[in-house]
Amino acid sequence: MPILRPLAAKEVKMDRIKQFATTLLCLLVLFVLIFFANIEAQKEIPNTPLLKTEEEVVLPPKELFIETWDLIKKNYWDNDLNEQNWAHWKKKYLQKIKTEEDAYVAINSMLASLNDPYSKFLSSEEFKEQNNSIDSKIYGIGINIASVSGKIYIINVIKGAPAELGGLRPGDMILKINGNNVNGDNVYQTASYIKGNLNSFVDLEILRDNKRLTKKIKRAEIKIKTVESEIIDKEIGYIRIVSFISSEGPIEFIDALNKVKDTNALILDLRGNTGGLFQNAVFVANMFLDKGDIVKVIGRGGHNSFYRAEEKEYTYDKPLVVLVDGESASASEIVSAALKDNGRAMIVGTKTFGKGVVQKVYPMPNSMGMNLTIARYLTPNGNDIDKKGIEPNYKVEITKDDFEKNNDSQLNFAKNMLKNKIERSKLAGTH
């Protein structure tokens, strides 16, 4: 059965669709690698490999600091390094570094001076956790959370996960995690309290129906699909992309799209999706566009690269609504902006997070890693959304009352919009 309505109107079997998805993804990955290689070819790159070898590289603290200093100097997207003399950091710290902890403090101080929250040095544990996320391995309790007026709510509980078995429900307000009051915290801070070592416990205090409840839940490996789909109201497809970080994301997306292929319209839910792999975002946007720009990437020294919709045998061309909120960031914003600027979809919800920069992951010696901003991007219309976000076509907020009553006002708005569009199409077809 065809996943989409082919331009030639012929049937395409599922294995052919997956083959197409895999081929397109490989091309996109190759394009990304070539783009970054072109940027780096203009500079002197150290001989130290950026990928781990079988024999792990271990460096003394001073050499770890020097290598990191040099990598930032040569690869950070801003040539001026936030208008500072980078040599200052070597003079300040090099002779003071005795231990790995000293190097860690010095490196973090350098990165902090860039005033860039996305460029981070990762300890061995943090780097391992990030790699696990790319492999869709998460150690936690299996909930999705959102911030509403400074309050943290559970918006989804994964079936069979420790959270569900422990009695947590959508709509629960989280008050404390392991004794830490999360009132006023953002989603990222709250999530850091929930994540932890496999088989360890997390203590939560929640508010439900004006009653305070405590839950002690054991962390486990959460095996998640990053893409979920269902059919709602018989004729509207619904696809939720939890994250763009999984290497399996494109194949999962194709499977999800295939399941809703016979509906008359689609809702793409990117709420709470904080981003992930750049090529996954380009892949998803491309599935809805038969022409036009997807994103413009500006690298170090002003090197530009345009990512455009690729010619393909089929494109999903039915009515489309994209749901976003304040936690929709990075890759989610690439997709949302591409579909909005090209007039392909209506965006419903609240203003997105506003992350318009691209990071590269550098494996470092001593089993450590670094996320470094190497480029920024503009939407197809040339808009810089960093720290600004994307304004929806229709602003619809979810209130505290909506959460407590488990009423998804944004989803309901999208459904009504598409139902009206479908009805108008049916009426037009009768004449």
Side-chain angles (χ1 to χ4, degrees), residues 138 140-147 152-159 161 163-164 168-174 187 190-191 194-195 204 222 224-228 238 240-243 269-274 325 327 403:
I138 297 174
I141 61 175
I143 59 173
N144 297 113
I145 57 178
S147 175
I152 299 295
Y153 287 87
I154 297 174
I155 58 173
N156 185 48
V157 179
I158 297 173
K159 287 186 178 180
E164 184 188 51
L168 292 178
R169 303 176 193 168
D172 289 344
M173 183 197 297
I174 300 178
V187 169
T190 305
I194 296 173
K195 294 176 183 177
L204 292 97
I222 309 299
I224 63 169
K225 290 192 66 170
T226 57
V227 184
E228 304 167 353
Y238 171 86
R240 179 170 181 260
I241 304 180
V242 178
S243 170
D269 192 345
L270 300 180
R271 294 175 297 178
N273 184 328
T274 56
D325 63 11
E327 311 301 334
F403 266 106

Side-chain angles (χ1 to χ4, degrees), residues 4 27 43 98 199 212 363 371 385 387 391 410 420:
L4 309 170
L27 289 173
K43 306 180 291 294
K98 307 297 181 185
N199 295 324
R212 289 177 178 256
N371 296 338
I385 60 96
K387 299 178 182 177
E391 292 287 351
Q410 293 168 339
N420 291 334

Side-chain angles (χ1 to χ4, degrees), residues 7 30 88 97 122 129 143 148 152 155 167 169-170 180 193 196 207 248 250 274 285 303 305 369-370 372 395 399:
L7 299 180
L30 181 61
H88 159 78
I97 295 173
L122 306 173
E129 182 179 330
I143 59 173
V148 180
I152 299 295
I155 58 173
R169 303 176 193 168
N180 296 296
Y193 293 140
L207 186 67
E248 297 295 316
T274 56
H303 179 90
S305 183
M370 182 166 60
L372 187 67
K395 184 176 180 180
T399 65

Side-chain angles (χ1 to χ4, degrees), residues 27 41 83 107 134 139 141 145 164 202 225 236 266 282 291 295 304 312 333 340 350 353 355 365 378 393 401 416 419:
L27 289 173
E83 300 181 347
I107 291 168
I134 294 174
Y139 300 140
I141 61 175
I145 57 178
E164 184 188 51
V202 56
K225 290 192 66 170
I236 298 175
L266 178 66
V282 174
K291 62 180 180 179
V295 65
N304 297 338
K312 49 194 176 297
E333 292 174 299
K340 181 184 180 184
T350 55
F353 181 81
K355 181 178 182 288
L378 304 179
N393 297 104
D401 188 56
N416 290 333
K419 283 179 182 178

Side-chain angles (χ1 to χ4, degrees), residues 386-416:
D386 196 48
K387 299 178 182 177
K388 301 173 186 174
I390 300 167
E391 292 287 351
N393 297 104
Y394 298 93
K395 184 176 180 180
V396 181
E397 295 184 344
I398 293 183
T399 65
K400 179 181 177 182
D401 188 56
D402 286 330
F403 266 106
E404 292 174 348
K405 293 180 179 178
N406 201 23
N407 174 49
D408 193 337
S409 56
Q410 293 168 339
L411 179 61
N412 291 337
F413 186 94
K415 285 195 297 184
N416 290 333

Side-chain angles (χ1 to χ4, degrees), residues 205-218:
E205 182 178 323
I206 63 170
L207 186 67
R208 179 191 299 163
D209 298 330
N210 294 320
K211 295 180 182 178
R212 289 177 178 256
L213 304 173
T214 56
K215 302 284 184 180
K216 189 179 186 70
I217 300 176
K218 190 176 184 180

Side-chain angles (χ1 to χ4, degrees), residues 71-137:
L71 187 62
I72 297 169
K73 182 177 183 291
K74 292 179 177 179
N75 293 278
Y76 190 64
W77 80 274
D78 177 9
N79 282 323
D80 295 330
L81 296 154
N82 197 25
E83 300 181 347
Q84 59 182 313
N85 179 4
W86 201 241
H88 159 78
W89 295 105
K90 189 183 285 187
K91 293 177 183 177
K92 180 175 181 178
Y93 281 113
L94 187 58
Q95 300 308 318
K96 298 178 182 178
I97 295 173
K98 307 297 181 185
T99 66
E100 191 172 270
E101 180 62 27
D102 293 338
Y104 194 74
V105 170
I107 291 168
N108 281 328
S109 297
M110 282 195 304
L111 286 170
S113 75
L114 297 173
N115 194 26
D116 175 0
Y118 309 113
S119 291
K120 298 178 181 179
F121 193 76
L122 306 173
S123 67
S124 56
E125 184 177 334
E126 291 168 333
F127 188 50
K128 181 179 178 182
E129 182 179 330
Q130 180 169 280
N131 287 336
N132 283 339
S133 296
I134 294 174
D135 293 331
S136 296
K137 293 179 181 177

